[in-house]
Amino acid sequence: AALHEARLRAMPAVLEYGQRLQSAAEVGSSESELLQEFLCCQKLVSSEAVLNAIISICKALELPGFDGKATAGRGSGSGFDVAYHDMTAPLEVIARRLRNHLAMIDANEEARERRNARVLQASFITEFGLEHGLPEVRDPTAEAMLSDFLLRVTEWGRRDRASAERVKSLNLEGQVPPGRAHAATRAALSRWVEQNQREVLIGGAVAVAS
């Protein structure tokens, strides 16, 4: 019901965008402002898809802050650390920072609803634009963030056999929504599953044997 209401709220903006897109096509105008708006929406959708994939993996691995325990998970250093974008940190630190970030969003209901509506609207506009011939542009920042996070997951899985088994059992199918707007994220996750889960098991076996 909530998703349906959100779709209804986003629909006027999507329809208005579609009318502008159609008008630009009819007069043969590229309308750079329209294109830039589309590219911004596409970037937001990509970053949100990556964030949701990371959250799903943190939950599946039961990392700190995502293990059902009512802890205040803090990152390294002092204060309420929310710098989860720093993918050079150990996986468990990233998870604590991400939990802090999500808690900060949840603390402001109005801001959270505005953010969700903006993401949903951007998703509609992106899918609409792609279906009507606007260029599909990859987001190297979001892709690099996901790649670095998956590398941390691989390293975490090599700690011991139990961690290796957790990573092996990850089921990432369906974690990213269908549609062309999320194709790059789905492809990145599929490549990681194919290339790295076997390596994690080998690394875990070596760790146990050594």
Side-chain angles (χ1 to χ4, degrees), residues 87-109:
M87 293 296 161
T88 63
L91 185 63
E92 292 181 338
V93 173
I94 294 172
R96 292 190 188 97
R97 291 170 172 174
L98 178 55
R99 170 49 66 194
N100 290 343
H101 169 75
L102 296 175
M104 186 173 64
I105 292 176
D106 288 342
N108 189 329
E109 183 177 356

Side-chain angles (χ1 to χ4, degrees), residues 1-3 32 102 128 132 148 157-159 185-186 188-189 192 209:
L3 178 59
S32 59
L102 296 175
F128 188 92
H132 287 77
D148 290 344
R158 290 173 176 163
R159 303 184 311 171
T185 304
R186 287 198 306 274
L189 290 175
W192 180 79

Side-chain angles (χ1 to χ4, degrees), residues 154 158 195-204:
T154 301
R158 290 173 176 163
Q195 296 172 5
N196 293 311
Q197 285 197 336
R198 181 174 176 274
E199 294 180 16
V200 166
L201 287 180
I202 295 174

Side-chain angles (χ1 to χ4, degrees), residues 9 38 47 73 122 127 176 201:
R9 288 196 299 269
F38 169 74
S47 62
E127 292 290 351
V176 179
L201 287 180

Side-chain angles (χ1 to χ4, degrees), residues 98-152:
L98 178 55
R99 170 49 66 194
N100 290 343
H101 169 75
L102 296 175
M104 186 173 64
I105 292 176
D106 288 342
N108 189 329
E109 183 177 356
E110 182 179 352
R112 183 179 71 248
E113 289 182 354
R114 285 200 306 269
R115 177 184 179 278
N116 291 343
R118 186 170 68 251
V119 170
L120 188 60
Q121 178 179 316
S123 179
F124 288 164
I125 288 177
T126 298
E127 292 290 351
F128 188 92
L130 290 174
E131 289 299 323
H132 287 77
L134 290 183
E136 183 174 357
V137 179
R138 300 174 67 173
D139 183 352
T141 301
E143 291 182 12
M145 180 176 171
L146 179 59
S147 177
D148 290 344
F149 176 77
L150 292 175
L151 180 59
R152 301 288 85 78

Side-chain angles (χ1 to χ4, degrees), residues 60-61 156-171 197 200-205 208:
L61 295 178
W156 184 86
R158 290 173 176 163
R159 303 184 311 171
D160 50 47
R161 186 176 295 279
S163 299
E165 288 296 334
R166 279 196 193 182
V167 174
K168 178 191 175 186
S169 65
L170 277 175
N171 181 8
Q197 285 197 336
V200 166
L201 287 180
I202 295 174
V208 171

